[in-house]
Amino acid sequence: FAYVGSWGIGGICPVHGVRAISVRIPTRPRVVSRFARFPATTAEDVWVGAVETPSFRGDLAAVGIQRCRRSAPFAGLALFDVTRPGRPRLLARLPSEAGVRGVHELSVVQRADGRVLALLAVPHSLLATEGRKGDVRIVDVTNPRSPQELADWDFRRDGPVAERADLVAR
């Protein structure tokens, strides 16, 4: 299976979400499901992989959801069980703060100790939260039904002092 996200901006937002496509017959790919279709959003960043933890075993999809319009009711990280690609199931959503578009880039890794971490880029967080949240997030998705943000980081706030001062000087 291939998983293809979608992107849109401006007055027209496609809200196509993610398509799960069977490529069993490569010359005849076929869409078997669509998911992560939240109103007024795009879902361009998708990670899918096999995960095995005490709380989840199967194929997990992590999707970065971004607002097309400020009125979109949800933006952030959405987690789906895609063990059966034709029947994806929403496991959890972790919203980003108001004032940011949402999760723009992401990656997921399962460490040797079994812990599953999602690494997220949430641009403009530092400005939107007046310095409380950085643009980079680390989220524990070991239990994908209950994601937990572990840390946030931003070079402008947390980087080495000399390099931060150099940014301001330029």
Side-chain angles (χ1 to χ4, degrees):
F1 290 90
Y3 294 87
V4 180
S6 62
W7 180 81
I9 196 162
I12 300 173
C13 185
V15 194
H16 292 307
V18 176
R19 292 179 184 95
I21 301 169
S22 172
V23 291
R24 185 168 300 195
I25 303 170
T27 58
R28 288 188 297 191
R30 120 186 121 78
V31 175
V32 297
S33 67
R34 293 176 187 223
F35 60 98
R37 297 176 77 181
F38 300 100
T41 65
T42 64
E44 66 184 273
D45 298 296
V46 182
W47 176 93
V48 177
V51 169
E52 187 170 341
T53 71
S55 58
F56 182 82
R57 181 179 180 168
D59 293 333
L60 178 67
V63 183
I65 305 297
Q66 294 184 79
R67 290 178 176 90
C68 291
R69 295 186 293 272
R70 291 182 193 269
S71 62
F74 171 73
L77 175 66
L79 300 168
F80 292 85
D81 180 347
V82 292
T83 306
R84 295 172 59 196
R87 293 180 170 253
R89 290 185 307 122
L90 177 64
L91 299 173
R93 298 185 305 173
L94 183 66
S96 53
E97 293 75 26
V100 299
R101 284 195 63 210
V103 174
H104 182 58
E105 302 292 341
L106 65 87
S107 187
V108 178
V109 62
Q110 184 162 17
R111 299 180 346 172
D113 66 2
R115 200 168 191 187
V116 183
L117 301 176
L119 311 171
L120 314 176
V122 188
H124 310 295
S125 293
L126 191 70
L127 299 174
T129 66
E130 298 177 347
R132 290 185 308 279
K133 290 282 190 170
D135 287 8
V136 177
R137 313 285 175 85
I138 301 172
V139 178
D140 187 331
V141 296
T142 305
N143 177 354
R145 291 171 186 84
S146 181
Q148 303 295 316
E149 186 173 309
L150 301 177
D152 67 279
W153 189 87
D154 197 288
F155 190 88
R156 296 162 292 180
R157 182 190 67 198
D158 306 310
V161 175
E163 282 78 8
R164 284 186 286 153
D166 188 42
L167 279 177
V168 175
R170 291 182 191 185

